[in-house]
PDB file of all heavy atoms in Angstrom:
ATOM      1  N   LEU B 296     -52.781 185.790   9.212  1.00 97.00           N
ATOM      2  CA  LEU B 296     -51.727 184.939   8.630  1.00 97.00           C
ATOM      3  C   LEU B 296     -50.704 185.752   7.832  1.00 97.00           C
ATOM      4  O   LEU B 296     -49.549 185.341   7.719  1.00 97.00           O
ATOM      5  CB  LEU B 296     -52.369 183.847   7.761  1.00 97.00           C
ATOM      6  CG  LEU B 296     -53.193 182.821   8.521  1.00 97.00           C
ATOM      7  CD1 LEU B 296     -53.870 181.847   7.553  1.00 97.00           C
ATOM      8  CD2 LEU B 296     -52.352 182.025   9.505  1.00 97.00           C
ATOM      9  N   GLU B 297     -51.155 186.913   7.297  1.00 96.00           N
ATOM     10  CA  GLU B 297     -50.207 187.724   6.539  1.00 96.00           C
ATOM     11  C   GLU B 297     -49.112 188.281   7.436  1.00 96.00           C
ATOM     12  O   GLU B 297     -47.980 188.506   6.987  1.00 96.00           O
ATOM     13  CB  GLU B 297     -50.961 188.854   5.815  1.00 96.00           C
ATOM     14  CG  GLU B 297     -51.621 188.316   4.548  1.00 96.00           C
ATOM     15  CD  GLU B 297     -52.590 189.305   3.926  1.00 96.00           C
ATOM     16  OE1 GLU B 297     -52.519 190.516   4.241  1.00 96.00           O
ATOM     17  OE2 GLU B 297     -53.421 188.833   3.123  1.00 96.00           O
ATOM     18  N   SER B 298     -49.426 188.483   8.712  1.00 97.00           N
ATOM     19  CA  SER B 298     -48.415 189.001   9.639  1.00 97.00           C
ATOM     20  C   SER B 298     -47.339 187.965   9.929  1.00 97.00           C
ATOM     21  O   SER B 298     -46.349 188.228  10.586  1.00 97.00           O
ATOM     22  CB  SER B 298     -49.076 189.439  10.957  1.00 97.00           C
ATOM     23  OG  SER B 298     -49.464 188.296  11.709  1.00 97.00           O
ATOM     24  N   LEU B 299     -47.547 186.747   9.427  1.00 97.00           N
ATOM     25  CA  LEU B 299     -46.580 185.671   9.688  1.00 97.00           C
ATOM     26  C   LEU B 299     -45.611 185.475   8.515  1.00 97.00           C
ATOM     27  O   LEU B 299     -44.753 184.593   8.545  1.00 97.00           O
ATOM     28  CB  LEU B 299     -47.331 184.353   9.961  1.00 97.00           C
ATOM     29  CG  LEU B 299     -48.245 184.380  11.189  1.00 97.00           C
ATOM     30  CD1 LEU B 299     -49.023 183.074  11.307  1.00 97.00           C
ATOM     31  CD2 LEU B 299     -47.451 184.636  12.474  1.00 97.00           C
ATOM     32  N   PHE B 300     -45.786 186.315   7.482  1.00 96.00           N
ATOM     33  CA  PHE B 300     -44.846 186.267   6.334  1.00 96.00           C
ATOM     34  C   PHE B 300     -43.523 186.882   6.745  1.00 96.00           C
ATOM     35  O   PHE B 300     -43.472 187.930   7.371  1.00 96.00           O
ATOM     36  CB  PHE B 300     -45.453 187.027   5.148  1.00 96.00           C
ATOM     37  CG  PHE B 300     -44.529 187.105   3.962  1.00 96.00           C
ATOM     38  CD1 PHE B 300     -44.385 186.011   3.129  1.00 96.00           C
ATOM     39  CD2 PHE B 300     -43.754 188.242   3.740  1.00 96.00           C
ATOM     40  CE1 PHE B 300     -43.521 186.071   2.026  1.00 96.00           C
ATOM     41  CE2 PHE B 300     -42.906 188.314   2.659  1.00 96.00           C
ATOM     42  CZ  PHE B 300     -42.767 187.220   1.797  1.00 96.00           C
ATOM     43  N   LEU B 301     -42.399 186.221   6.390  1.00 96.00           N
ATOM     44  CA  LEU B 301     -41.078 186.721   6.785  1.00 96.00           C
ATOM     45  C   LEU B 301     -40.308 187.223   5.567  1.00 96.00           C
ATOM     46  O   LEU B 301     -39.907 188.386   5.513  1.00 96.00           O
ATOM     47  CB  LEU B 301     -40.294 185.619   7.505  1.00 96.00           C
ATOM     48  CG  LEU B 301     -40.916 185.166   8.821  1.00 96.00           C
ATOM     49  CD1 LEU B 301     -40.258 183.909   9.335  1.00 96.00           C
ATOM     50  CD2 LEU B 301     -40.838 186.264   9.880  1.00 96.00           C
ATOM     51  N   GLU B 302     -40.071 186.362   4.617  1.00 94.00           N
ATOM     52  CA  GLU B 302     -39.438 186.737   3.349  1.00 94.00           C
ATOM     53  C   GLU B 302     -39.789 185.674   2.341  1.00 94.00           C
ATOM     54  O   GLU B 302     -40.371 184.635   2.732  1.00 94.00           O
ATOM     55  CB  GLU B 302     -37.925 186.874   3.516  1.00 94.00           C
ATOM     56  CG  GLU B 302     -37.244 185.603   4.033  1.00 94.00           C
ATOM     57  CD  GLU B 302     -35.748 185.810   4.284  1.00 94.00           C
ATOM     58  OE1 GLU B 302     -35.035 185.799   3.282  1.00 94.00           O
ATOM     59  OE2 GLU B 302     -35.362 185.943   5.433  1.00 94.00           O
ATOM     60  N   GLU B 303     -39.434 185.857   1.116  1.00 93.00           N
ATOM     61  CA  GLU B 303     -39.840 184.912   0.093  1.00 93.00           C
ATOM     62  C   GLU B 303     -39.444 183.488   0.482  1.00 93.00           C
ATOM     63  O   GLU B 303     -38.276 183.202   0.804  1.00 93.00           O
ATOM     64  CB  GLU B 303     -39.224 185.274  -1.266  1.00 93.00           C
ATOM     65  CG  GLU B 303     -40.016 184.615  -2.392  1.00 93.00           C
ATOM     66  CD  GLU B 303     -39.363 184.897  -3.737  1.00 93.00           C
ATOM     67  OE1 GLU B 303     -38.995 186.045  -3.968  1.00 93.00           O
ATOM     68  OE2 GLU B 303     -39.233 183.922  -4.517  1.00 93.00           O
ATOM     69  N   GLY B 304     -40.433 182.601   0.510  1.00 93.00           N
ATOM     70  CA  GLY B 304     -40.158 181.227   0.852  1.00 93.00           C
ATOM     71  C   GLY B 304     -40.039 180.945   2.342  1.00 93.00           C
ATOM     72  O   GLY B 304     -39.843 179.808   2.748  1.00 93.00           O
ATOM     73  N   LYS B 305     -40.205 181.989   3.191  1.00 95.00           N
ATOM     74  CA  LYS B 305     -40.108 181.772   4.634  1.00 95.00           C
ATOM     75  C   LYS B 305     -41.268 182.417   5.391  1.00 95.00           C
ATOM     76  O   LYS B 305     -41.523 183.607   5.221  1.00 95.00           O
ATOM     77  CB  LYS B 305     -38.786 182.319   5.163  1.00 95.00           C
ATOM     78  CG  LYS B 305     -37.644 181.320   5.049  1.00 95.00           C
ATOM     79  CD  LYS B 305     -36.467 181.745   5.871  1.00 95.00           C
ATOM     80  CE  LYS B 305     -35.370 180.692   5.700  1.00 95.00           C
ATOM     81  NZ  LYS B 305     -34.106 181.175   6.267  1.00 95.00           N
ATOM     82  N   VAL B 306     -41.941 181.608   6.180  1.00 97.00           N
ATOM     83  CA  VAL B 306     -43.048 182.108   6.986  1.00 97.00           C
ATOM     84  C   VAL B 306     -43.034 181.420   8.341  1.00 97.00           C
ATOM     85  O   VAL B 306     -42.329 180.432   8.540  1.00 97.00           O
ATOM     86  CB  VAL B 306     -44.436 181.820   6.301  1.00 97.00           C
ATOM     87  CG1 VAL B 306     -44.565 182.547   4.971  1.00 97.00           C
ATOM     88  CG2 VAL B 306     -44.610 180.315   6.113  1.00 97.00           C
ATOM     89  N   TRP B 307     -43.807 181.948   9.269  1.00 97.00           N
ATOM     90  CA  TRP B 307     -44.038 181.217  10.519  1.00 97.00           C
ATOM     91  C   TRP B 307     -45.226 180.279  10.323  1.00 97.00           C
ATOM     92  O   TRP B 307     -46.223 180.668   9.731  1.00 97.00           O
ATOM     93  CB  TRP B 307     -44.382 182.184  11.656  1.00 97.00           C
ATOM     94  CG  TRP B 307     -43.263 183.048  12.138  1.00 97.00           C
ATOM     95  CD1 TRP B 307     -43.220 184.420  12.118  1.00 97.00           C
ATOM     96  CD2 TRP B 307     -42.065 182.615  12.787  1.00 97.00           C
ATOM     97  NE1 TRP B 307     -42.037 184.852  12.699  1.00 97.00           N
ATOM     98  CE2 TRP B 307     -41.321 183.767  13.108  1.00 97.00           C
ATOM     99  CE3 TRP B 307     -41.492 181.363  13.096  1.00 97.00           C
ATOM    100  CZ2 TRP B 307     -40.061 183.722  13.718  1.00 97.00           C
ATOM    101  CZ3 TRP B 307     -40.270 181.306  13.723  1.00 97.00           C
ATOM    102  CH2 TRP B 307     -39.554 182.479  14.037  1.00 97.00           C
ATOM    103  N   SER B 308     -45.067 179.059  10.820  1.00 97.00           N
ATOM    104  CA  SER B 308     -46.182 178.127  10.842  1.00 97.00           C
ATOM    105  C   SER B 308     -46.593 177.933  12.303  1.00 97.00           C
ATOM    106  O   SER B 308     -45.755 177.733  13.169  1.00 97.00           O
ATOM    107  CB  SER B 308     -45.750 176.770  10.291  1.00 97.00           C
ATOM    108  OG  SER B 308     -45.364 176.912   8.949  1.00 97.00           O
ATOM    109  N   ILE B 309     -47.881 177.977  12.548  1.00 97.00           N
ATOM    110  CA  ILE B 309     -48.377 177.811  13.916  1.00 97.00           C
ATOM    111  C   ILE B 309     -49.035 176.446  14.052  1.00 97.00           C
ATOM    112  O   ILE B 309     -49.935 176.080  13.296  1.00 97.00           O
ATOM    113  CB  ILE B 309     -49.387 178.934  14.280  1.00 97.00           C
ATOM    114  CG1 ILE B 309     -48.650 180.285  14.141  1.00 97.00           C
ATOM    115  CG2 ILE B 309     -49.938 178.733  15.663  1.00 97.00           C
ATOM    116  CD1 ILE B 309     -49.413 181.473  14.595  1.00 97.00           C
ATOM    117  N   TYR B 310     -48.557 175.704  15.006  1.00 97.00           N
ATOM    118  CA  TYR B 310     -49.124 174.399  15.324  1.00 97.00           C
ATOM    119  C   TYR B 310     -49.919 174.503  16.611  1.00 97.00           C
ATOM    120  O   TYR B 310     -49.368 174.873  17.643  1.00 97.00           O
ATOM    121  CB  TYR B 310     -48.021 173.357  15.508  1.00 97.00           C
ATOM    122  CG  TYR B 310     -47.239 173.088  14.248  1.00 97.00           C
ATOM    123  CD1 TYR B 310     -46.111 173.840  13.900  1.00 97.00           C
ATOM    124  CD2 TYR B 310     -47.638 172.070  13.361  1.00 97.00           C
ATOM    125  CE1 TYR B 310     -45.400 173.581  12.738  1.00 97.00           C
ATOM    126  CE2 TYR B 310     -46.935 171.802  12.204  1.00 97.00           C
ATOM    127  CZ  TYR B 310     -45.820 172.563  11.884  1.00 97.00           C
ATOM    128  OH  TYR B 310     -45.144 172.304  10.743  1.00 97.00           O
ATOM    129  N   VAL B 311     -51.191 174.190  16.520  1.00 98.00           N
ATOM    130  CA  VAL B 311     -52.032 174.202  17.703  1.00 98.00           C
ATOM    131  C   VAL B 311     -52.308 172.748  18.049  1.00 98.00           C
ATOM    132  O   VAL B 311     -52.889 172.000  17.251  1.00 98.00           O
ATOM    133  CB  VAL B 311     -53.371 174.928  17.457  1.00 98.00           C
ATOM    134  CG1 VAL B 311     -54.210 174.978  18.717  1.00 98.00           C
ATOM    135  CG2 VAL B 311     -53.131 176.338  16.904  1.00 98.00           C
ATOM    136  N   ASP B 312     -51.884 172.324  19.224  1.00 97.00           N
ATOM    137  CA  ASP B 312     -52.122 170.929  19.630  1.00 97.00           C
ATOM    138  C   ASP B 312     -53.076 170.894  20.819  1.00 97.00           C
ATOM    139  O   ASP B 312     -52.861 171.557  21.842  1.00 97.00           O
ATOM    140  CB  ASP B 312     -50.810 170.263  20.017  1.00 97.00           C
ATOM    141  CG  ASP B 312     -50.016 169.877  18.784  1.00 97.00           C
ATOM    142  OD1 ASP B 312     -50.353 168.855  18.155  1.00 97.00           O
ATOM    143  OD2 ASP B 312     -49.094 170.644  18.411  1.00 97.00           O
ATOM    144  N   LEU B 313     -54.134 170.112  20.641  1.00 98.00           N
ATOM    145  CA  LEU B 313     -55.149 169.967  21.708  1.00 98.00           C
ATOM    146  C   LEU B 313     -54.856 168.651  22.434  1.00 98.00           C
ATOM    147  O   LEU B 313     -54.842 167.590  21.828  1.00 98.00           O
ATOM    148  CB  LEU B 313     -56.529 169.914  21.071  1.00 98.00           C
ATOM    149  CG  LEU B 313     -56.999 171.222  20.451  1.00 98.00           C
ATOM    150  CD1 LEU B 313     -58.213 170.975  19.530  1.00 98.00           C
ATOM    151  CD2 LEU B 313     -57.351 172.238  21.513  1.00 98.00           C
ATOM    152  N   TYR B 314     -54.653 168.766  23.728  1.00 97.00           N
ATOM    153  CA  TYR B 314     -54.396 167.600  24.560  1.00 97.00           C
ATOM    154  C   TYR B 314     -55.596 167.393  25.470  1.00 97.00           C
ATOM    155  O   TYR B 314     -55.861 168.202  26.359  1.00 97.00           O
ATOM    156  CB  TYR B 314     -53.129 167.868  25.402  1.00 97.00           C
ATOM    157  CG  TYR B 314     -51.953 166.997  25.007  1.00 97.00           C
ATOM    158  CD1 TYR B 314     -51.702 166.742  23.669  1.00 97.00           C
ATOM    159  CD2 TYR B 314     -51.115 166.459  25.980  1.00 97.00           C
ATOM    160  CE1 TYR B 314     -50.632 165.930  23.302  1.00 97.00           C
ATOM    161  CE2 TYR B 314     -50.050 165.646  25.623  1.00 97.00           C
ATOM    162  CZ  TYR B 314     -49.809 165.396  24.286  1.00 97.00           C
ATOM    163  OH  TYR B 314     -48.748 164.602  23.928  1.00 97.00           O
ATOM    164  N   ILE B 315     -56.355 166.336  25.223  1.00 98.00           N
ATOM    165  CA  ILE B 315     -57.516 166.049  26.069  1.00 98.00           C
ATOM    166  C   ILE B 315     -57.012 165.332  27.322  1.00 98.00           C
ATOM    167  O   ILE B 315     -56.465 164.225  27.235  1.00 98.00           O
ATOM    168  CB  ILE B 315     -58.549 165.174  25.351  1.00 98.00           C
ATOM    169  CG1 ILE B 315     -58.840 165.672  23.917  1.00 98.00           C
ATOM    170  CG2 ILE B 315     -59.825 165.048  26.164  1.00 98.00           C
ATOM    171  CD1 ILE B 315     -59.245 167.096  23.787  1.00 98.00           C
ATOM    172  N   LEU B 316     -57.145 165.998  28.475  1.00 98.00           N
ATOM    173  CA  LEU B 316     -56.611 165.432  29.722  1.00 98.00           C
ATOM    174  C   LEU B 316     -57.675 164.702  30.535  1.00 98.00           C
ATOM    175  O   LEU B 316     -57.364 163.776  31.289  1.00 98.00           O
ATOM    176  CB  LEU B 316     -56.004 166.534  30.595  1.00 98.00           C
ATOM    177  CG  LEU B 316     -54.869 167.353  29.968  1.00 98.00           C
ATOM    178  CD1 LEU B 316     -54.372 168.397  30.973  1.00 98.00           C
ATOM    179  CD2 LEU B 316     -53.723 166.452  29.538  1.00 98.00           C
ATOM    180  N   ASN B 317     -58.914 165.152  30.444  1.00 98.00           N
ATOM    181  CA  ASN B 317     -60.004 164.418  31.130  1.00 98.00           C
ATOM    182  C   ASN B 317     -61.280 164.577  30.301  1.00 98.00           C
ATOM    183  O   ASN B 317     -61.651 165.684  29.942  1.00 98.00           O
ATOM    184  CB  ASN B 317     -60.218 164.957  32.545  1.00 98.00           C
ATOM    185  CG  ASN B 317     -60.985 163.981  33.408  1.00 98.00           C
ATOM    186  OD1 ASN B 317     -60.454 162.940  33.822  1.00 98.00           O
ATOM    187  ND2 ASN B 317     -62.254 164.270  33.683  1.00 98.00           N
ATOM    188  N   TYR B 318     -61.913 163.459  29.976  1.00 98.00           N
ATOM    189  CA  TYR B 318     -63.120 163.514  29.179  1.00 98.00           C
ATOM    190  C   TYR B 318     -64.355 163.385  30.043  1.00 98.00           C
ATOM    191  O   TYR B 318     -64.509 162.405  30.776  1.00 98.00           O
ATOM    192  CB  TYR B 318     -63.125 162.387  28.128  1.00 98.00           C
ATOM    193  CG  TYR B 318     -64.488 162.214  27.488  1.00 98.00           C
ATOM    194  CD1 TYR B 318     -64.979 163.190  26.658  1.00 98.00           C
ATOM    195  CD2 TYR B 318     -65.250 161.095  27.760  1.00 98.00           C
ATOM    196  CE1 TYR B 318     -66.252 163.074  26.093  1.00 98.00           C
ATOM    197  CE2 TYR B 318     -66.522 160.933  27.201  1.00 98.00           C
ATOM    198  CZ  TYR B 318     -67.009 161.934  26.361  1.00 98.00           C
ATOM    199  OH  TYR B 318     -68.243 161.818  25.819  1.00 98.00           O
ATOM    200  N   ALA B 319     -65.205 164.392  29.997  1.00 97.00           N
ATOM    201  CA  ALA B 319     -66.492 164.326  30.667  1.00 97.00           C
ATOM    202  C   ALA B 319     -67.548 165.000  29.778  1.00 97.00           C
ATOM    203  O   ALA B 319     -68.352 165.795  30.253  1.00 97.00           O
ATOM    204  CB  ALA B 319     -66.408 164.991  32.033  1.00 97.00           C
ATOM    205  N   GLY B 320     -67.497 164.696  28.499  1.00 97.00           N
ATOM    206  CA  GLY B 320     -68.500 165.205  27.570  1.00 97.00           C
ATOM    207  C   GLY B 320     -68.082 166.491  26.872  1.00 97.00           C
ATOM    208  O   GLY B 320     -67.164 167.186  27.303  1.00 97.00           O
ATOM    209  N   ASN B 321     -68.754 166.790  25.759  1.00 98.00           N
ATOM    210  CA  ASN B 321     -68.590 168.022  24.974  1.00 98.00           C
ATOM    211  C   ASN B 321     -67.127 168.445  24.778  1.00 98.00           C
ATOM    212  O   ASN B 321     -66.725 169.534  25.208  1.00 98.00           O
ATOM    213  CB  ASN B 321     -69.388 169.174  25.607  1.00 98.00           C
ATOM    214  CG  ASN B 321     -69.494 170.368  24.666  1.00 98.00           C
ATOM    215  OD1 ASN B 321     -69.069 170.319  23.507  1.00 98.00           O
ATOM    216  ND2 ASN B 321     -70.051 171.456  25.175  1.00 98.00           N
ATOM    217  N   LEU B 322     -66.381 167.631  24.072  1.00 98.00           N
ATOM    218  CA  LEU B 322     -64.997 167.995  23.775  1.00 98.00           C
ATOM    219  C   LEU B 322     -64.889 169.178  22.837  1.00 98.00           C
ATOM    220  O   LEU B 322     -63.930 169.909  22.834  1.00 98.00           O
ATOM    221  CB  LEU B 322     -64.268 166.797  23.159  1.00 98.00           C
ATOM    222  CG  LEU B 322     -63.950 165.635  24.094  1.00 98.00           C
ATOM    223  CD1 LEU B 322     -63.270 164.501  23.330  1.00 98.00           C
ATOM    224  CD2 LEU B 322     -63.058 166.089  25.248  1.00 98.00           C
ATOM    225  N   PHE B 323     -65.933 169.348  21.982  1.00 98.00           N
ATOM    226  CA  PHE B 323     -65.869 170.375  20.941  1.00 98.00           C
ATOM    227  C   PHE B 323     -65.737 171.781  21.521  1.00 98.00           C
ATOM    228  O   PHE B 323     -64.831 172.524  21.160  1.00 98.00           O
ATOM    229  CB  PHE B 323     -67.088 170.266  20.008  1.00 98.00           C
ATOM    230  CG  PHE B 323     -66.994 169.069  19.103  1.00 98.00           C
ATOM    231  CD1 PHE B 323     -67.494 167.834  19.514  1.00 98.00           C
ATOM    232  CD2 PHE B 323     -66.399 169.169  17.854  1.00 98.00           C
ATOM    233  CE1 PHE B 323     -67.412 166.713  18.683  1.00 98.00           C
ATOM    234  CE2 PHE B 323     -66.291 168.051  17.027  1.00 98.00           C
ATOM    235  CZ  PHE B 323     -66.791 166.822  17.456  1.00 98.00           C
ATOM    236  N   ASP B 324     -66.668 172.133  22.433  1.00 98.00           N
ATOM    237  CA  ASP B 324     -66.643 173.504  22.945  1.00 98.00           C
ATOM    238  C   ASP B 324     -65.425 173.729  23.843  1.00 98.00           C
ATOM    239  O   ASP B 324     -64.811 174.797  23.808  1.00 98.00           O
ATOM    240  CB  ASP B 324     -67.949 173.797  23.706  1.00 98.00           C
ATOM    241  CG  ASP B 324     -69.150 173.789  22.755  1.00 98.00           C
ATOM    242  OD1 ASP B 324     -68.930 173.748  21.531  1.00 98.00           O
ATOM    243  OD2 ASP B 324     -70.266 173.800  23.251  1.00 98.00           O
ATOM    244  N   ALA B 325     -65.079 172.718  24.642  1.00 98.00           N
ATOM    245  CA  ALA B 325     -63.908 172.845  25.519  1.00 98.00           C
ATOM    246  C   ALA B 325     -62.644 173.020  24.668  1.00 98.00           C
ATOM    247  O   ALA B 325     -61.774 173.852  24.977  1.00 98.00           O
ATOM    248  CB  ALA B 325     -63.791 171.615  26.413  1.00 98.00           C
ATOM    249  N   SER B 326     -62.529 172.250  23.572  1.00 98.00           N
ATOM    250  CA  SER B 326     -61.344 172.320  22.737  1.00 98.00           C
ATOM    251  C   SER B 326     -61.292 173.652  21.987  1.00 98.00           C
ATOM    252  O   SER B 326     -60.218 174.238  21.823  1.00 98.00           O
ATOM    253  CB  SER B 326     -61.342 171.163  21.722  1.00 98.00           C
ATOM    254  OG  SER B 326     -61.300 169.945  22.409  1.00 98.00           O
ATOM    255  N   ALA B 327     -62.450 174.124  21.501  1.00 98.00           N
ATOM    256  CA  ALA B 327     -62.471 175.401  20.767  1.00 98.00           C
ATOM    257  C   ALA B 327     -62.043 176.531  21.684  1.00 98.00           C
ATOM    258  O   ALA B 327     -61.299 177.433  21.295  1.00 98.00           O
ATOM    259  CB  ALA B 327     -63.870 175.656  20.211  1.00 98.00           C
ATOM    260  N   LEU B 328     -62.509 176.484  22.948  1.00 98.00           N
ATOM    261  CA  LEU B 328     -62.136 177.527  23.892  1.00 98.00           C
ATOM    262  C   LEU B 328     -60.638 177.467  24.192  1.00 98.00           C
ATOM    263  O   LEU B 328     -59.946 178.501  24.228  1.00 98.00           O
ATOM    264  CB  LEU B 328     -62.913 177.358  25.221  1.00 98.00           C
ATOM    265  CG  LEU B 328     -64.367 177.849  25.217  1.00 98.00           C
ATOM    266  CD1 LEU B 328     -65.089 177.371  26.480  1.00 98.00           C
ATOM    267  CD2 LEU B 328     -64.435 179.367  25.128  1.00 98.00           C
ATOM    268  N   ALA B 329     -60.122 176.247  24.419  1.00 98.00           N
ATOM    269  CA  ALA B 329     -58.691 176.076  24.742  1.00 98.00           C
ATOM    270  C   ALA B 329     -57.848 176.558  23.569  1.00 98.00           C
ATOM    271  O   ALA B 329     -56.841 177.270  23.750  1.00 98.00           O
ATOM    272  CB  ALA B 329     -58.385 174.634  25.100  1.00 98.00           C
ATOM    273  N   ALA B 330     -58.252 176.172  22.338  1.00 98.00           N
ATOM    274  CA  ALA B 330     -57.473 176.530  21.151  1.00 98.00           C
ATOM    275  C   ALA B 330     -57.458 178.053  20.960  1.00 98.00           C
ATOM    276  O   ALA B 330     -56.421 178.662  20.741  1.00 98.00           O
ATOM    277  CB  ALA B 330     -58.027 175.850  19.918  1.00 98.00           C
ATOM    278  N   MET B 331     -58.642 178.643  21.065  1.00 98.00           N
ATOM    279  CA  MET B 331     -58.747 180.099  20.882  1.00 98.00           C
ATOM    280  C   MET B 331     -57.933 180.836  21.937  1.00 98.00           C
ATOM    281  O   MET B 331     -57.169 181.774  21.628  1.00 98.00           O
ATOM    282  CB  MET B 331     -60.232 180.512  20.948  1.00 98.00           C
ATOM    283  CG  MET B 331     -60.548 181.873  20.391  1.00 98.00           C
ATOM    284  SD  MET B 331     -60.291 182.027  18.597  1.00 98.00           S
ATOM    285  CE  MET B 331     -59.167 183.389  18.508  1.00 98.00           C
ATOM    286  N   ALA B 332     -58.032 180.383  23.180  1.00 98.00           N
ATOM    287  CA  ALA B 332     -57.295 181.048  24.282  1.00 98.00           C
ATOM    288  C   ALA B 332     -55.802 180.898  24.050  1.00 98.00           C
ATOM    289  O   ALA B 332     -55.017 181.850  24.236  1.00 98.00           O
ATOM    290  CB  ALA B 332     -57.706 180.455  25.626  1.00 98.00           C
TER     291      ALA B 332
END
Side-chain angles (χ1 to χ4, degrees):
Chain B
L296 293 175
E297 280 169 19
S298 73
L299 299 174
F300 176 79
L301 296 168
E302 58 184 282
E303 200 183 315
K305 275 195 179 168
V306 295
W307 290 119
S308 298
I309 300 186
Y310 294 89
V311 183
D312 284 282
L313 293 164
Y314 249 40
I315 313 306
L316 301 181
N317 198 73
Y318 167 68
N321 193 7
L322 288 178
F323 287 88
D324 295 349
S326 298
L328 283 169
M331 198 65 237

